[in-house]
Amino acid sequence: MKDYANQNVEYFEKLLKKEDLEKLPLYSTFCELLENCSKKFTDCPAISDMVNTVTYGELYELIARRRAFLNEQGFKMGDNIAVLAPNGLDAMELYMAIPTAGMTVIMLPSAPMALNNSDIRKLIRKFDIKGLFVHSTLQDVTEGLDTKVFDLKATSDNKAEMADVDPEDTAVICFSVNDDPANPYGAMLSHRAIMRAAHNGLFIPGNPFGQRTIAILPLSHVFGAIRGLLTCIYTGALVYACEDMSNIVFDIPKMKPTILTLVPGLAEMVLSVARIKGKEFLDGIETMICGGAYVQPKLIKLAESLGITLFAGYGLTEASNIVTGNVDSATVPDSVGQVYPGTEVRIVDGEIQVKGDVVMKGYYNDPERTAEVFTEDGWLRTGDIGEIDDEGFVHITGLRKNLIILPNGENISPPELERYFMKLDGIKDCLVREESLRGRAILAIAVLPDTEYYSGKEIAEIEADLKAAIKEANNGLPTYKNVTRTTIVSEALDHTVRDRMIEIEW
């Protein structure tokens, strides 16, 4: 076991002016956050859909009416209440009203075809959902459910005070998909965990106040809910609601955000559009926060070329999705950064383990699975493989469940090899897995070419060039890590599936 890395408080706090840091205390509950922000930013715009805009003072009142409605329906403290809706003012009100009423909010995935009636029935039973708020466009999948169903806009003419909640009460249940996506685990995140994560999200260079953002990532995604919404609420930012992610290319020029929270795939799409349309497409954007998947160094460089600073980080649902952050991405692009305040990280047999405020209480109604992911001394086993360098920077090298064990006993991390080959010119994406050649285990790679890089080239020429480049790159690896078989593909690779190689003919 390697000595664990304590939170690097100085590394992060030096990013903010002392007077700004004093204005942004660490809150312990949703109630404290809303109470203080409603007073500090009363007349500042809080949430807008480009048609309607509410101030922080008005938002506070709207949330109080939502709480009254919950109480009037007979719900009790501790009840689990779900919301099925895209990002919008109504969904955001409920996301904050339910925990401040002393209940637990569950944001269900609302993308088209994400859940059907049968799926929702299973979730209601598994997570004891007492009530469900539904967007008008999704009413058809909620017919005949064995729980109270309400229109998303349902509210009261009355107002209710916030409940007397404890920081350790469960505020949010977030889904963590296992091997059966239709039967997710429910990570119970306390008020303290969510607030610590939201506070840690503040630590980026620059003025934390007066920002504008677009809530692109769904609130069912813990990264989107915390860094995309709550951290912004912390600083009195203006949050534009984005109910349809596909409109983002049209929304950015109209809303002119200063900061965006994105997953790498979305960041690449936005930056690629800017490279075609010109820098003015991203006029006003200074910062991108990227997480949820590995951030390639070339993406950081692309952002830099367009005048945008892209910061990468690392987290998982079970740790409120914010464990480390890298504000030195330009100089240490292959790292996910340093450990945030209130969190500890250690490496045991190569595995990253986490302890601290952000860690979940456990999986809802699943003590056996909870016991599996916690060590005897209380550390969360992430399943991710990594290391910590002498400067305290954490590096992710792979996923324990994805390790390939060769006959000679050598362990191979496919993501580590993929990152190595992604540095080659002309490769847009790649996927490494184990295959068999005449009964012998070999490493194979599927490669998706960068069509822009190979513009005007024939297919045969592209294939020959990439195979030659991979063969040459093998020379920089230990022999046991050499890739033997290369397949060129023409469609996106699914990195969530490693039990089969995707082979698509040109």
Side-chain angles (χ1 to χ4, degrees), residues 207-258:
N207 181 6
F209 303 105
Q211 300 285 350
R212 299 184 303 277
T213 191
I214 305 175
I216 300 171
L217 300 181
L219 297 179
S220 57
H221 191 300
V222 66
F223 184 47
I226 293 177
R227 185 60 189 82
L229 176 63
L230 294 181
T231 294
C232 299
I233 296 292
Y234 233 108
T235 61
L238 170 56
V239 180
Y240 287 105
C242 177
E243 292 198 0
D244 187 349
M245 195 182 299
S246 64
N247 288 334
I248 188 61
V249 172
F250 305 101
D251 289 342
I252 288 176
K254 291 189 297 184
M255 299 176 178
K256 294 189 179 301
T258 57

Side-chain angles (χ1 to χ4, degrees), residues 168-327:
E168 301 309 320
D169 288 345
T170 302
V172 181
I173 293 178
C174 286
F175 293 157
S176 178
V177 177
N178 52 36
D179 294 331
D180 180 5
N183 185 31
Y185 300 127
M188 297 183 291
L189 300 175
S190 68
H191 282 261
R192 187 187 305 281
I194 296 288
M195 288 301 109
R196 170 64 82 172
H199 190 263
N200 283 343
L202 299 169
F203 295 117
I204 58 174
N207 181 6
F209 303 105
Q211 300 285 350
R212 299 184 303 277
T213 191
I214 305 175
I216 300 171
L217 300 181
L219 297 179
S220 57
H221 191 300
V222 66
F223 184 47
I226 293 177
R227 185 60 189 82
L229 176 63
L230 294 181
T231 294
C232 299
I233 296 292
Y234 233 108
T235 61
L238 170 56
V239 180
Y240 287 105
C242 177
E243 292 198 0
D244 187 349
M245 195 182 299
S246 64
N247 288 334
I248 188 61
V249 172
F250 305 101
D251 289 342
I252 288 176
K254 291 189 297 184
M255 299 176 178
K256 294 189 179 301
T258 57
I259 185 171
L260 289 176
T261 299
L262 303 168
V263 291
L266 273 177
E268 182 179 13
M269 182 195 73
V270 169
L271 293 171
S272 296
V273 171
R275 188 166 53 178
I276 297 170
K277 288 180 172 289
K279 292 184 179 181
E280 60 273 13
F281 170 71
L282 299 178
D283 184 36
I285 299 179
E286 301 171 351
T287 308
M288 285 187 177
I289 310 297
C290 232
Y294 175 65
V295 179
Q296 299 173 17
K298 65 175 70 175
L299 189 60
I300 296 171
K301 291 182 179 179
L302 175 57
E304 185 179 6
S305 71
L306 293 167
I308 295 172
T309 303
L310 191 152
F311 297 124
Y314 163 72
L316 62 162
T317 301
E318 290 81 353
S320 307
N321 221 106
I322 296 185
V323 174
T324 69
N326 186 3
V327 295

Side-chain angles (χ1 to χ4, degrees), residues 307-414:
I308 295 172
T309 303
L310 191 152
F311 297 124
Y314 163 72
L316 62 162
T317 301
E318 290 81 353
S320 307
N321 221 106
I322 296 185
V323 174
T324 69
N326 186 3
V327 295
D328 291 305
S329 53
T331 55
V332 195
D334 60 340
S335 170
V336 292
Q338 303 229 9
V339 182
Y340 277 119
T343 309
E344 296 174 323
V345 167
R346 71 182 184 185
I347 309 296
V348 179
D349 296 329
E351 181 186 46
I352 298 172
Q353 298 182 356
V354 181
K355 195 173 187 179
D357 291 345
V358 296
V359 174
M360 70 171 181
K361 298 167 63 174
Y363 292 118
Y364 186 80
N365 274 354
D366 199 338
E368 291 184 4
R369 177 58 182 168
T370 298
E372 289 177 8
V373 298
F374 281 98
T375 64
E376 291 185 1
D377 55 349
W379 290 73
L380 174 68
R381 304 184 59 176
T382 69
D384 296 323
I385 307 300
E387 55 189 28
I388 304 171
D389 65 24
D390 293 339
E391 301 299 320
F393 285 91
V394 178
H395 300 261
I396 308 295
T397 58
L399 301 177
R400 176 174 291 273
K401 66 180 182 180
N402 288 338
L403 284 179
I404 295 173
I405 312 299
L406 296 178
N408 61 3
E410 296 285 1
N411 292 348
I412 303 294
S413 167

